[in-house]
Amino acid sequence: MKRTKVKVLLNSGQPGSEVLVKGWVRSKRDSKGVAFIALNDGSVIHNIQIVVDVANFDENALKSISTGACIAVKGLLVQSLGKGQSVEIQAREMELYGAADPETFPLQKKGHTLEFLREIAHLRPRTNTFGAVLRMRHAMSYAIHKFFNDKGFVYVHTPIITGSDAEGAGAMFRVTTLDDQKPPLNELGHVDYREDFFGKETNLTVSGQLEGELVATALTEIYTFGPTFRAENSNTTRHLAEFWMIEPEVAFNELDDNMNLAEEFLKYLISYALEHCKDDLEFLNNMYDKELIQKLHFVLEHPFQRLSYTEGVEILRNSGQKFEFKVEWGTDLQSEHERYLVEKHFQRPVILTDYPKEIKAFYMKQSADGKTVRAMDVLFPGIGEIIGGSQREENYDKLLNRVNELGIKNEDLWWYLDTRRFGTCPHAGFGLGFERLMLFVTGMNNIRDVIPFPRTPKNAEF
RNA sequence: UCCUUCUUAGCUCAGUUGGUUAGAGCACAUGACUGUUAAUCAUGGGGUCCCUGGUUCGAGUCCAGGCUGGGGAGCCA
């Protein structure tokens, strides 16, 4: 007999039919003659109720069906006699795949703190919260590919191991096969990476952008979606050492096109979540953030506020608000400044553009004013920077000048610079932190709770 | 990395001025109960009070250092 998913039974099960379900016991309620088992298989947040006529089953067998156990149940799907569910299964046969000793199984019927669940990340997928988050993570991943595919973008697999340390996005993890006790040394007594696997120093990527640009200047519209690694010692609710990033790059796009794409993209993902993740969103709305669904609708219905860095600085200086850090043109905005603009002043997502060139990366397009670059940061309430992007500098001489000004070794970047020597074109792109998007659409507060197995400083368990 | 705060039963937490045998709710076990919804009721078992050192007649409690966790900041997505 074929297994039916709980989701299918609850949505379209025909009462009166014989069914087989398999899943994990969330709770069991006993009385003398009848027992009720709440069974979940992860296909949907809801459980199906199994009704057990105690007289028909062995007492010890029933006892081992406790919270956390994995079972298969064959029985008759019927209209529920009790309140709280429309259908339920009257058990005829039950098979125990795996018991879960109630004395040692860590998950209880009652709620647990997210901090505790992080310590048992191998079991937390079996909770309502992580079921909801992981289903939504899948839905968002799928929606990302669908959005770009429908627009004719090409999904590009950029390398995870990179030989360039010039990506400029922070500290990197080294990749090596050298003997860690006695590595080969060069004439100067330093580690000789010529003897390493790749014959040079290599690291895990901090961004697929540079390679993305190589392909965008051939296929026009591309995106990447892959893991990204930052060895920063960041201990916050919005940073991971290993995270997933989406980076579209489009030839012939300028900064306005880039902003339009970013706003359309984010709104598409939010509307996809509202349309396809209703049950999970309702659960998260009830349990974690009573305004979650309302906030998603709000973002969808209002245009993002677009203004320049310079205008933003003016607003902050004239706000009369006391900040811990002074607002000064030329320095990067602090979290408190961004929050003021997004949460107090405009009360909606904000796109800040045209930052001073000194505080942005070397590859951003230099403006005629000589002071700013065509950068854009999309700022979201509660999260801060969810997207960072720019139009890229396509002029070979200007780009090379900037590389030299910043003391970047241009022999590491010859291939990148070559795109500006051969058939260069205006182009633009951005990076969306996938887990930051997940924070926003799930209403969760800690980035460690929107990825199955988080990697953070001092933590690579599971 | 910096600031701040916490760590007591499987989980969530009380624990008075430093004083005998460290408590509660939930969970778990046993029993009761014909339909429960985080079932209910009764009974019971369960502790390296985070670690190291110090002060003291005596430390869960006070002091110092450290680990882990939480919150904030920086770096950023």
Side-chain angles (χ1 to χ4, degrees), chain A residues 122-150:
Chain A
H122 58 309
L123 295 172
R124 68 180 185 170
R126 299 193 193 179
T127 62
N128 287 333
T129 298
F130 284 89
V133 166
L134 294 174
R135 278 185 298 272
M136 285 193 69
R137 203 180 150 97
H138 162 76
M140 289 297 93
S141 302
Y142 176 75
I144 286 160
H145 287 299
K146 181 164 166 52
F147 174 83
F148 286 123
N149 182 65
D150 289 354

Side-chain angles (χ1 to χ4, degrees), chain A residues 100 137-138 181 197 225 266 272 322 332 335 337 356 364 391-392 419 428:
Chain A
R137 203 180 150 97
H138 162 76
Q181 297 302 314
F197 187 89
F225 183 6
L266 286 168
Y272 190 94
K322 273 192 185 156
D332 218 348
S335 287
H337 305 143
M364 295 191 179
Q391 187 173 337
R392 321 304 189 188
T419 52

